[in-house]
Amino acid sequence: MSMTLASGSTSFLSGKPLRLIAAGILLINGMFPALWILFTSLKTETELTAKPISWIPHAPTVQNFVQAFSDQPLHVFLFNSFMVALLSTALTLLVSVLAAYALARLNLTYRGLILSLIIAVSTFPLVTLLVPLFEIMRALNLLNSWTALILPYTVLSLPVCTLMLVSFFEGIPRDLENAAMIDGCTRMGALFKVVVPLCAPGVFTAGILAFVNAWDEFLLALSFNSNPSLRTLPVGIQLYQGEFAFPWPVISAALVVGIVPVAILIVIFQERVVSGLTAGGIKG
Amino acid sequence: MATTTTFKATDAQEAQPANWTRWLDLSDRSLAVLLLFPAAVLLALIIVYPVCRLVYTSFFNLSLTSGLPAEFAGLDNYRLMIGDPVFWETTWNTVLITLITVPGALLVGLGLALMANLSFAMQWPVRLSLLIPWALPLSFAGLIFAWFFHSEYGVVNDVLNRLGFEGIIWFNSPNWAFAAICLTIIWKTSSFMALIILAGLQTIPRSLYEAADVDGAGRLRQFFEITLPLLKPSIVVALIFRTITALQTFDIPYMMTGGGPGTSTSTLAMYIHQNTVSFLDLGYGSALAVVMFALSMCVTAVYLRMIRTKE
């Protein structure tokens, strides 16, 4: 089931002025908070505290960005977030491709039961695992390591990615694999040389979903990795707050730096993300 | 001697391809087991074992700050919970957040989806305006909206002032702080609702509306008699997932208010985190988590039943 936001045809609203108003509301609703943070990050302290507050920065400055990197090791937070998200995405994809292939292609006796279990796991509250995972990570000496986050993040995205990939794999004709196997490919060879490349857009979408999930996660990162050199971005951003002061322009700059990578990802792959979200990745 | 060696060598040479072929000819069933193995190991390590351990720990007095070894406590932690006003307050806050933000996000999301379903000259800005809030980390949304609702320099109060109203000191009053948190959650989650509903909207055949037009049904009647009923499945799925994530609310109140003033905006997830990570009281933290687990599994059970009846 692939779906793009084609021009709407079934709405009960129509008319050109109405469309303009709707577009305005949609854009303001979606973009204004991010824009406001961008504006704040470009303002000087004097402009920020002027009354009434100015909406557009009149004397834009990059000083806050410089300070965001010098006050705290923002590049370290970025690097940690990026590596943890990337590695857990890779692991999620590998494990879910294998599982999804088994579920889509091999005639399993308990297929229905396994799928129900996967759906049940996808609704699992990660918060409840905080205590036991904390104990396990402590016992394995994994607190303050990427691994302490990569493993839970992989499991966080595994169900959704598997369900998505099952639906994508089922859309590929079996004949293509059979032909490859007759040509001497092994079954696994056929999976990685034929099925996965044909489902590349789907695999990619699942990957973006896993990446965004990991990039966003806060509670486990906050609880497991408190060592400054291992903090991820959402956790590190809190450190800008002083005991009494809250340097909003600098925090805004750090937030902008954190939003940009995902925003770029979304801008480039928006159609795929939408189709993936609606195809099987029902989780928000 | 020599013959034996030669014989053995040939045997090995022949045996190798034979074994290799056997590996290829694994029955579907064994191959399936092999392919599902990594996922099963990960789920067992990160979910099944921890859940068992969670329930087990909840029956123990286990506080890392006391330095005492774990001691079986029976239902003590649960008894403590029943008499703990903070437990009741944080649970009530969690339920209230769920009851306010889930229907709130549905209504806003439905509105956004209906608007996004109009035909626009350019689709991508519309799509992006729904995707950006979805992709924005919850913790970032919490910080951004804390700044929005800032009593002196916040844009919300600025707009109120410009409209001639008095600005509100949002985070000093329990009710206003709670309202600010709910508004933020609704904003953050409505876009995702909208994406799901929009996908549902686009599967409704145009011919239904044309037929309704011929029959003289007005726009409003078409909405209530065609659009809403056909959207029901996607709305229900979105609602259930939103309910489950709402029960886990942590990032936004943690970032916006830290649970304050007092504990008036603290959620059950925040209380679990506080007991576990700050107080290192793993026994009590586990008992709290068991309650949340039970709440969440009830919603999941409803969901699974609905899927089964659909099939």
Side-chain angles (χ1 to χ4, degrees):
Chain A
M1 178 170 120
S2 147
M3 185 129 4
T4 52
L5 304 191
S7 54
S9 52
T10 55
S11 177
F12 74 111
L13 300 167
S14 56
K16 197 170 182 189
L18 206 68
R19 281 210 301 271
L20 280 177
I21 294 170
I25 293 175
L26 281 165
L27 290 178
I28 290 173
N29 175 67
M31 309 289 195
F32 185 70
L35 268 184
W36 188 256
I37 280 295
L38 179 66
F39 289 166
T40 305
S41 72
L42 296 170
K43 284 178 185 169
T44 57
E45 193 73 40
T46 38
E47 196 173 4
L48 192 79
T49 51
K51 280 279 185 174
I53 56 174
S54 61
W55 283 43
I56 312 269
H58 294 295
T61 166
V62 293
Q63 184 52 40
N64 297 317
F65 286 87
V66 175
Q67 218 173 321
F69 278 94
S70 62
D71 283 4
Q72 297 291 340
L74 187 57
H75 59 285
V76 177
F77 304 154
L78 270 171
F79 181 66
N80 285 330
S81 271
F82 185 75
M83 289 307 286
V84 167
L86 197 70
L87 291 171
S88 56
T89 302
L91 191 58
T92 307
L93 284 184
L94 180 68
V95 176
S96 55
V97 160
L98 296 178
Y101 184 77
L103 289 164
R105 277 293 194 269
L106 307 170
N107 306 309
L108 291 170
T109 333
Y110 298 109
R111 185 175 185 271
L113 182 70
I114 297 176
L115 283 173
S116 299
L117 276 177
I118 293 176
I119 292 171
V121 171
S122 74
T123 66
F124 207 89
L126 212 57
V127 194
T128 61
L129 299 182
L130 185 65
V131 183
L133 281 180
F134 185 77
E135 282 184 278
I136 293 170
M137 297 304 172
R138 209 170 59 94
L140 296 176
N141 227 347
L142 284 175
L143 290 180
N144 289 312
S145 76
W146 286 348
T147 321
L149 302 182
I150 291 170
L151 291 180
Y153 292 177
T154 300
V155 175
L156 175 72
S157 302
L158 193 58
V160 172
C161 289
T162 307
L163 290 176
M164 251 172 87
L165 289 172
V166 168
S167 70
F168 283 119
F169 287 174
E170 278 172 345
I172 304 280
R174 276 168 193 250
D175 294 349
L176 289 170
E177 281 159 83
N178 293 340
M181 284 192 284
I182 289 166
D183 288 348
C185 250
T186 65
R187 191 141 203 170
M188 287 296 93
L191 167 60
F192 284 103
K193 283 182 200 149
V194 179
V195 181
V196 170
L198 281 173
C199 290
V203 175
F204 203 85
T205 311
I208 293 179
L209 216 66
F211 190 90
V212 171
N213 272 347
W215 186 265
D216 291 5
E217 206 285 330
F218 176 60
L219 177 67
L220 297 187
L222 176 70
S223 312
F224 295 168
N225 284 9
S226 53
N227 184 329
S229 63
L230 285 157
R231 284 193 171 100
T232 59
L233 199 59
V235 182
I237 254 167
Q238 292 185 104
L239 298 180
Y240 289 94
Q241 182 182 359
E243 200 173 340
F244 300 107
F246 222 107
W248 280 109
V250 183
I251 291 174
S252 302
L255 285 171
V256 170
V257 171
I259 294 168
V260 165
V262 178
I264 291 174
L265 204 68
I266 300 295
V267 169
I268 300 175
F269 301 110
Q270 39 167 326
E271 241 166 288
R272 281 182 190 171
V273 179
V274 172
S275 62
L277 276 176
T278 50
I282 310 244
K283 186 157 190 184
Chain B
M1 244 340 226
T3 16
T4 340
T5 332
T6 340
F7 175 75
K8 270 190 179 159
T10 4
D11 185 42
Q13 260 166 14
E14 269 172 13
Q16 213 171 18
N19 272 339
W20 184 228
T21 337
R22 249 181 57 208
W23 150 255
L24 295 182
D25 287 343
L26 274 179
S27 69
D28 274 10
R29 208 173 134 189
S30 2
L31 184 63
V33 171
L34 202 68
L35 294 185
L36 288 170
F37 187 71
V41 168
L42 273 172
L43 291 178
L45 183 75
I46 302 295
I47 292 195
V48 180
Y49 173 69
V51 169
C52 300
R53 203 177 161 101
L54 172 77
V55 176
Y56 177 79
T57 311
S58 74
F59 296 117
F60 281 82
N61 250 334
L62 176 54
S63 173
L64 297 183
T65 45
S66 70
L68 296 170
E71 184 190 315
F72 185 73
L75 290 172
D76 279 5
N77 285 323
Y78 293 92
R79 241 173 258 137
L80 191 67
M81 201 178 342
I82 289 169
D84 177 2
V86 184
F87 161 71
W88 290 109
E89 190 182 11
T90 51
T91 305
W92 171 240
N93 288 342
T94 308
V95 171
L96 205 57
I97 284 176
T98 308
L99 290 178
I100 293 171
T101 64
V102 175
L106 173 68
L107 284 180
V108 177
L110 186 62
L112 292 175
L114 289 172
M115 288 192 278
N117 198 36
L118 299 171
S119 49
F120 295 104
M122 278 195 296
Q123 283 297 317
W124 67 266
V126 170
R127 199 153 42 200
L128 212 59
S129 70
L130 293 181
L131 280 172
I132 292 288
W134 167 76
L136 194 73
L138 281 160
S139 55
F140 285 20
L143 267 182
I144 293 175
F145 277 75
W147 177 230
F148 256 52
F149 289 109
H150 192 279
S151 56
E152 280 214 44
Y153 311 118
V155 68
V156 177
N157 277 357
D158 184 56
V159 170
L160 286 178
N161 286 337
R162 282 171 207 247
L163 292 174
F165 295 100
E166 191 120 351
I168 296 163
I169 305 176
W170 293 87
F171 299 119
N172 273 8
S173 118
N175 289 339
W176 284 121
F178 204 84
I181 285 170
C182 288
L183 286 170
T184 307
I185 296 175
I186 290 174
W187 175 81
K188 168 73 177 103
T189 54
S190 56
S191 296
F192 176 76
M193 285 268 189
L195 282 167
I196 300 297
I197 294 172
L198 187 55
L201 275 176
Q202 295 184 339
T203 60
I204 302 178
R206 201 200 173 110
S207 55
L208 286 180
Y209 292 94
E210 284 161 0
D213 268 336
V214 174
D215 291 348
R219 297 279 187 209
L220 214 57
R221 226 183 119 195
Q222 290 182 18
F223 175 71
F224 282 106
E225 288 183 12
I226 302 173
T227 314
L228 267 191
L230 287 173
L231 276 181
K232 205 180 144 205
S234 32
I235 287 180
V236 167
V237 169
L239 273 181
I240 285 177
F241 275 90
R242 190 70 270 288
T243 305
I244 290 164
T245 45
L247 289 175
Q248 307 173 38
T249 303
F250 179 86
D251 305 19
I252 284 177
Y254 185 88
M255 284 299 201
M256 285 180 86
T257 62
T263 45
S264 58
T265 57
S266 201
T267 64
L268 186 54
M270 289 165 80
Y271 197 43
I272 295 174
H273 170 262
Q274 193 182 29
N275 275 290
T276 311
V277 178
S278 314
F279 306 156
L280 293 172
D281 190 344
L282 303 189
Y284 193 52
S286 298
L288 293 169
V290 168
V291 171
M292 178 185 277
F293 182 73
L295 274 176
S296 185
M297 284 303 116
C298 291
V299 182
T300 304
V302 174
Y303 178 45
L304 282 178
R305 173 166 294 179
M306 273 172 15
I307 290 178
R308 207 161 297 158
T309 46
K310 211 174 74 187
E311 282 169 357

